[in-house]
Amino acid sequence: MSNTTKIRIAVTDDHALFRRGIVSLLSHNDDFEVVLEASNGQELIDNIPQSLPNVVLMDLNMPVLDGIRATERIKIQFPKVKIIVISMHDEDKFVSHLMSIGANGYLLKDAHPDEVENAIYTVFNEDYYYGPFLVKVMHNRLINKPEKKNPTPLSLQAGISERELEVLEHICQGITTQNIADMLCLSARTVEGHRNRIMEKTGTKNVAGLVAWAVRNGVC
């Protein structure tokens, strides 16, 4: 990053000790500036217009306004603000719901500090962080999902073909391009072509954004 550009961060958690620990961690990185600390979602929303964060680190279980409702409201009122949820909840359906309402990333509270920093950089530059934990969640989600006989209406509206939908579901599981090619008896170049066309049709910029689109629209 340039010497004049800092990522402006808001840290929201009702446990002061955890919140201060995150702030202390971020203070060691010259690319980060913590512009807001909040103990609940309402306090966060009330202060966003003054502090103008780029990225919010959001707890879920908070008084007054919890992280789920705060995420929903922020995505309506301040759509450019990126939200990374940091929570102890690791249930697949719970995580998928957060991504479906617009969260840009999801970390567990026992995540390594390096992953927290990487997630902040990634959502700031590329909109979504799609780390190992979310790969596992999407893999489990698709394994346990009832088999679809037809493409979903939303995928049809986006003009996604049955083959592209098949490729997308494999992408959501974190399967590599070459492995997808082997599974579908295609060349890696053909799979890349399918992926690029899906991204063009969905208006997404990268694989993480594509997966988030798929979750929000019930495709994956």
Side-chain angles (χ1 to χ4, degrees), residues 94-110:
F94 195 81
V95 177
S96 297
H97 177 66
L98 264 297
M99 299 302 290
S100 74
I101 63 175
N104 302 85
Y106 196 105
L107 298 172
L108 295 177
K109 282 195 170 182
D110 62 357

Side-chain angles (χ1 to χ4, degrees), residues 68-96:
I68 295 177
R69 290 184 295 162
T71 296
E72 291 172 334
R73 294 186 188 182
I74 289 170
K75 286 301 174 178
I76 294 172
Q77 297 179 38
F78 311 101
K80 292 184 179 181
V81 174
K82 312 294 175 59
I83 298 174
I84 300 173
V85 173
I86 303 183
S87 173
M88 66 182 68
H89 296 286
D90 61 357
E91 297 90 344
D92 293 354
K93 290 182 179 180
F94 195 81
V95 177
S96 297

